[in-house]
Amino acid sequence: AQSVTQLGSHVSVSEGALVLLRCNYSSSVPPYLFWYVQYPNQGLQLLLKYTSAATLVKGINGFEAEFKKSETSFHLTKPSAHMSDAAEYFCAVSSNTGNQFYFGTGTSLTVIP
Amino acid sequence: EAQVTQNPRYLITVTGKKLTVTCSQNMNHEYMSWYRQDPGLGLRQIYYSMNVEVTDKGDVPEGYKVSRKEKRNFPLILESPSPNQTSLYFCASSRQVKGNEKLFFGSGTQLSVL
């Protein structure tokens, strides 16, 4: 089965600093990869997804992620953190058949004013 | 407005008392699924459905049932809830059964089993 590993369950950054959230995947074939964001008391929303069209994927709210096959990574970045970015972030991968999705354990991002 | 609606938002029950969490989507999506979210474990898939009358187990199906009699509805049934099913539950849907499709999530149901 596919899986993703998120390193760091909690990340704190200062407002205006770079945000880097790490995700590594386990897959024998090129996967479909996703980043979702969960704001307090809400469901998950898609930030961006990788579907093999381009290795650098741009998402909403200034986030982007780069697919690196050699490192089996799909790290999420944002050049300058904003207070509104405080949330929980989940990396996810779909199964080869497309009927199941596997989520990481999540990274809680705190933005310090 | 396109949305996935779950009810109830909060539910407290006692061990063994059957309950149903409803999920409905208004986007004519083929694919629907249920997840539970637990601290330190992320989201784990319970069941999914690829279309009406087509359902299959996810990674943690024990103690749960689902049905898909209509395209828009995908209820989650706990026949005899136990305390280890205390969790935050999410329903999600997507347009097609394809791995690159975006999932639309409901707002969640916080279940406590005493």
Side-chain angles (χ1 to χ4, degrees):
Chain A
Q2 314 282 39
S3 67
V4 290
T5 302
Q6 291 183 244
L7 293 175
S9 57
H10 297 276
V11 170
S12 293
V13 300
S14 298
E15 191 174 16
L18 171 72
V19 175
L20 171 60
L21 305 182
R22 300 177 186 274
C23 174
N24 288 87
Y25 68 90
S26 167
S27 172
S28 57
V29 296
Y32 296 126
L33 289 158
F34 308 80
W35 276 100
Y36 284 87
V37 60
Q38 183 182 30
Y39 298 106
N41 299 313
Q42 294 186 27
L44 282 72
Q45 305 170 35
L46 181 70
L47 267 180
L48 50 81
K49 65 178 181 180
Y50 168 75
T51 59
S52 77
T55 56
L56 183 62
V57 182
K58 293 189 185 299
I60 62 172
N61 301 336
F63 284 93
E64 61 182 38
E66 187 172 8
F67 174 74
K68 291 188 176 180
K69 186 176 178 181
S70 61
E71 299 177 7
T72 61
S73 68
F74 190 56
H75 302 330
L76 182 71
T77 60
K78 182 174 180 177
S80 178
H82 192 272
M83 296 298 293
S84 60
D85 294 328
E88 184 134 24
Y89 293 80
F90 291 94
C91 183
V93 64
S94 64
S95 64
N96 294 337
T97 51
N99 53 14
Q100 286 193 262
F101 294 85
Y102 303 95
F103 287 80
T105 51
T107 298
S108 178
L109 176 66
T110 299
V111 182
I112 304 164
Chain B
E1 180 190 353
Q3 60 185 2
V4 177
T5 303
Q6 287 181 236
N7 281 298
R9 187 77 173 86
Y10 300 94
L11 180 57
I12 301 174
T13 190
V14 294
T15 299
K17 186 175 181 181
K18 181 179 178 180
L19 66 91
T20 299
V21 184
T22 63
C23 174
S24 180
Q25 49 90 7
N26 63 359
M27 297 169 279
N28 200 37
H29 283 176
E30 285 186 355
Y31 179 87
M32 298 185 75
S33 60
W34 277 102
Y35 299 84
R36 60 177 289 172
Q37 182 180 9
D38 301 290
L41 297 177
L43 277 80
R44 293 177 292 166
Q45 193 168 37
I46 303 170
Y47 269 94
Y48 61 93
S49 169
M50 294 187 284
N51 215 322
V52 176
E53 303 291 3
V54 182
T55 63
D56 207 347
K57 296 177 181 178
D59 293 323
V60 288
E62 294 76 22
Y64 304 95
K65 283 175 57 177
V66 292
S67 68
R68 187 98 181 268
K69 294 185 171 62
E70 305 165 284
K71 199 170 187 179
R72 63 183 294 124
N73 296 324
F74 190 46
L76 180 69
I77 303 156
L78 285 71
E79 295 266 0
S80 183
S82 62
N84 65 12
Q85 293 178 297
T86 293
S87 187
L88 179 58
Y89 291 86
F90 287 101
C91 180
S93 70
S94 69
R95 191 165 53 98
Q96 300 176 59
V97 184
K98 287 174 65 175
N100 61 351
E101 288 285 336
K102 164 186 173 181
L103 286 170
F104 290 78
F105 283 83
S107 298
T109 296
Q110 180 65 59
L111 172 65
S112 296
V113 183
L114 305 177

